[in-house]
Every structure is written in structure tokens, then in C-alpha cells.
Amino acid sequence: MKTLFKKCIVTVLALSLTLAVWLKPGTGTVYAAASSVSGTNAIQGMPDGFARGVDVSALTALEKSGTKFYYLDGSKGDMFDILSGAGVNYVRIRIWNNPYDSSAPYKPYGAGNCDLYNAKLLGKRATDAGMKVFIDFHYSDFWADPEKQFAPKAWADYSLAYKKDAVYNFTYNSLKELLDYGVNIGMVQIGNETNGSMCGVGGLYDGVWDLSSGVAALMQQGCYAVNDINKLYGRSMLKALHFTDLVERGEWYAKCVNTLGVDYDVFSTSYYPMWHGTDSDLAKKLTNIAKTYNKKVMVAETAYPYTYENFDSQNNNVGDASGMVHNNYNVSVSGQAKALHDVFAAVAKVNETKPGYGIGAFYWEPGWIATDSSTWGTCGSGWATSATGNYEKLYSNSVKYYSTVDGGSTWDNMTLFDKNGKAMNSLYVFNDICGKTSRTSSGIF
């Protein structure tokens, strides 16, 4: 960081927030907010190391598209400096096996083009910013979730036995490469939103939803790989499984993996307040799982809209009130901040019953703002490119879940940065829940 001008003009924060001075040794003076920037209060019951995280997997593509990010006062900043100044201490990064078309010109699939190389770049930047890294293996070449769990192209014809070996080897080799590159990995996610299916195996493909037809076996291979890497490097990376629809099915999936003997550490869930119930539901279900199965618990993904406005031509996941199953919070910056605060509070509440077992939450893609449509296909800054349809057609007769055209951001109204890339007050929940001072300016305009 450059030496700062002595006479920096700092924007006075809304709500007449008190300003204090934060000093980073050897860099000069940077102005910071001494009281709550987001308007939320501190939370009790968060143990040391409680994950106050974000998923920024698409960041490289966004930056290649020309996207810039700014502190609350509009001063320039690197994304990781801005996040660190807001209290973020953990970064989640997804990995797809090969998110590129199989024939020339090998067009990327988009949504960040999240291969191992991207994870190395972002993981090292996060590490250098003092954050831990949470690696999210999808075991697919593109989005994997409860509606689709396509195997990577290279594994399309593999039997279950071959897929078990492939999951182990890909996990082991990827983690080794990341660690050798200097990435500080704290947790590893084995599969993404694996509600009964994973890597072309399970309920979506054979009608068996309890993980017994191969999903648990694949999960275990991923866990074996983490165990072996931990032993090789003398580390203690946590092994996380990831499900969604916690209120309806979470305890059942926890029972399934317990019955099938999967050796993991953390039960993680996607929890979006507009779709998945109340924060009380979240706290209750996570507490039950922690108590019953002696597993740490956390929220791997959460988000909430701050507006219904759309900033590009791509439809958003939540475009109006009809996309909100639950309306527990205002659709505003302050409502977004309250929603995120309550997710952290719900996870922390687990520690009242099971101390140390509620370990944190991650906000999903807080920086995925809209970009120029010319960058969607070339840089991968949109949710999918036209090449993704080719991948889906390896497994189906039509393109239903991916795309045959280049698409934009479906998330630009659920970010923690405004349409111009400037941090909003809601970003500072990460420090406010700890009662810590936030850094809201670089001092360089």
C-alpha cells in the first residue's frame, strides 16, 4: 500500500457513524469506522477461528472483465484488502475439473472458469491477505447442485469403481498442488449440494436417494484423500460434506452418512433466508445434527437481495417478490445486513448446546456484479457461456440446466457491492458481529 496523503478527505458515513483511525505499520494512516457500519450488533458464542467467510470464485474472471472494487467511501482497493478490512477471515473457492469445451477453440464455460489454476491464484491471494481457504470440489466440469450432478467429461464412461479412484486422485493431487503453491487450506468440501446424488451417481440417476448406491462411497474417497494429505503435510484440514434444504432433509442426510460410515468432520448446508426457512429453523436443525452425530456444523452458502433491480440483460435468480418463498427481511441494504447477521447468530447459537461446534458461515459471491455483455463469453464473467450446452448434451438430449448462449450475472442484486463495485454497508457485518473496527477507506482516491 502506498504512503497515504496526510490530507485525505473521508466521506462521513451514514447514520452519523463515529470515525476512528486505524494504523497499519509502515503504510500510513487509514480512516476506519469505530462503530457498527452495517447497523447490526455483536454476537455472542463465536469461538476463536469462527469462519466469517465469502465465496469469491468468480473474481478472476470479473477482474479480467475490467471490474474494479472500492471501499465504502469510494476509494480504490484490492478485493482482498477490502474484504479483510470488513472482517472477512475465510474464503471459499470452487473447483471444477475441466470447465472448457472439448473441441477447438476450447471456449470456457464461464461462471469464473473455476479450474484448479483459478483456485491457486485466488487461494494464494487470500492466504497473502491473512485468510484461510475453503476448497469446494464439485467433481463436475460445471455447476453441480440438487438438480444436476454430471460427472466430468473425462469420467463420463467410468464405472463406480473407476469414479472412486478418480475422486481420490483428483482430490489428492489438487490439494497437493494448492498446498505446494502456498495456499493455506483450512477446510475441504467433498461434493457440492449433494442431496442424494454426486458425480453422475445416486438418486438423479438410479432413484436411490439415501447415498447407498455409491454417493457415500465417493464421499469417503474424497475424505481418504484429505486424510492422506493431512498426514503428508502435517496439517489438520477439516473434511466437509455439503447439502441443502436443511429444514426439510438435513437431519435425514446426516443420518444417512452416519449409517454408511462416512468419516467426515463438518456438516455444511446452503441456507438462503428467502428460500429455506427462518434463522430459528437453521439454529435448531444445526444444533440437532451437532448433538446427535457429534459433527461440527456451518453454513457453506448464504445470500440475500438488497434490491429487485437488475443491472444487465440476464434474469436474476430473485427478480421480484415471486422469487421469495419467505419474506423475513426487507429487500434493502439494511435488510440484507440483518439477514446475514442472523445467519451468523444462528450458527453461533449451536455453541450454547455444543460448544465449539458451530464454526461459521460463508456469503456466496458478494462481488459478482454485472459486467459488459462482451465479456461474458470471452472472460467467463457471466453465469454460463454457450459452450456449457455441449457439456450437458453429453448426458441428455436437450440443454435444460446450462446454456446455448453467453449469459450474464444472475446474482447482481444479491452482492455486497453495488453495481459500480463499491462496498455497501452490509459488507461490514463480518466485523460488526465481533464488535471490531472496520477499515472503510484506502485513503487513495
Side-chain angles (χ1 to χ4, degrees), residues 41 70 131 158 202 208 236 248 251 319 356 364 396 408-409:
N41 56 14
Y70 306 89
M131 302 172 185
Y158 282 12
V208 179
S236 55
E248 295 83 4
E251 290 181 88
W364 198 80
S396 62
S409 175

Side-chain angles (χ1 to χ4, degrees), residues 61-389:
L62 290 166
E63 291 176 336
K64 286 181 178 179
S65 300
T67 302
K68 307 293 185 184
F69 294 97
Y70 306 89
Y71 285 87
L72 184 67
D73 71 342
S75 58
K76 299 175 184 178
D78 176 83
M79 171 62 98
F80 288 96
D81 289 337
I82 296 170
L83 292 175
S84 177
V88 173
N89 64 357
Y90 229 121
V91 166
R92 181 176 182 252
I93 304 169
R94 60 181 170 271
I95 294 180
W96 294 319
N97 288 42
N98 180 20
Y100 294 87
D101 206 3
S102 58
S103 58
Y106 308 106
K107 186 173 182 175
Y109 289 165
N113 306 327
C114 298
D115 58 7
L116 177 59
Y117 179 69
N118 181 67
K120 288 168 63 176
L121 295 180
L122 292 178
K124 187 62 166 64
R125 288 174 66 184
T127 299
D128 291 345
M131 302 172 185
K132 287 187 176 181
V133 175
F134 177 24
I135 293 296
D136 168 18
F137 288 109
H138 282 224
Y139 304 111
S140 178
D141 286 342
F142 202 44
W143 298 115
D145 56 46
E147 291 186 322
K148 50 195 177 292
Q149 292 280 339
F150 300 129
K153 294 184 290 292
W155 305 359
D157 298 324
Y158 282 12
S159 65
L160 177 59
Y162 276 108
K163 283 182 179 178
K164 287 168 64 176
D165 287 343
V167 165
Y168 176 91
N169 290 331
F170 186 75
T171 307
Y172 184 96
N173 292 331
S174 296
L175 292 176
K176 189 174 189 304
E177 192 166 333
L178 287 160
L179 290 170
D180 288 346
Y181 196 69
V183 178
N184 181 21
I185 305 171
M187 283 190 289
V188 181
Q189 184 179 302
I190 308 300
N192 193 77
E193 294 189 334
T194 51
N195 283 26
S197 306
M198 176 176 156
C199 195
V201 173
L204 290 171
Y205 309 99
D206 62 14
V208 179
W209 295 96
D210 66 359
L211 315 179
S212 64
S213 62
V215 176
L218 294 175
M219 290 173 169
Q220 186 59 66
Q221 290 301 311
C223 291
Y224 284 148
V226 178
N227 288 343
D228 289 345
I229 287 289
N230 275 337
K231 183 176 181 180
L232 179 66
Y233 285 83
R235 298 183 67 93
S236 55
M237 296 180 294
L238 297 174
K239 301 161 296 200
L241 303 184
H242 182 210
F243 302 91
T244 190
D245 298 328
L246 174 73
V247 176
E248 295 83 4
R249 302 178 182 88
E251 290 181 88
W252 185 71
Y253 282 119
K255 180 180 179 180
C256 289
V257 290
N258 181 72
T259 299
L260 294 167
V262 181
D263 172 28
Y264 73 106
D265 305 304
V266 183
F267 183 99
S268 72
T269 185
S270 293
Y271 171 79
Y272 294 95
M274 61 281 191
W275 297 325
H276 295 144
T278 68
D279 57 309
S280 296
D281 295 330
L282 175 63
K284 178 180 178 181
K285 294 295 183 178
L286 289 181
T287 298
N288 288 347
I289 290 169
K291 285 174 54 182
T292 304
Y293 302 106
N294 200 38
K295 299 296 180 183
K296 297 180 186 298
V297 293
M298 70 175 189
V299 170
E301 296 180 17
T302 192
Y304 195 79
Y306 72 92
T307 180
Y308 287 130
E309 187 176 355
N310 187 7
F311 301 108
D312 62 17
S313 60
Q314 175 68 54
N315 290 335
N316 287 335
N317 289 71
V318 177
D320 54 37
S322 67
M324 307 276 283
V325 178
H326 303 284
N327 298 94
N328 300 320
Y329 304 94
N330 292 329
V331 176
S332 63
V333 175
S334 60
Q336 182 185 59
K338 183 65 165 62
L340 178 55
H341 170 277
D342 289 355
V343 170
F344 280 121
V347 178
K349 189 173 180 60
V350 173
N351 297 314
E352 294 178 6
T353 301
K354 191 78 170 172
Y357 276 68
I359 65 171
F362 290 76
Y363 197 94
W364 198 80
E365 291 284 7
W368 202 348
I369 63 176
T371 59
D372 189 272
S373 60
S374 64
T375 70
W376 298 349
T378 55
C379 300
S381 58
W383 83 273
T385 71
S386 60
T388 62

Side-chain angles (χ1 to χ4, degrees), residues 29-40:
T29 301
V30 176
Y31 287 97
S35 57
S36 175
V37 182
S38 66
T40 61

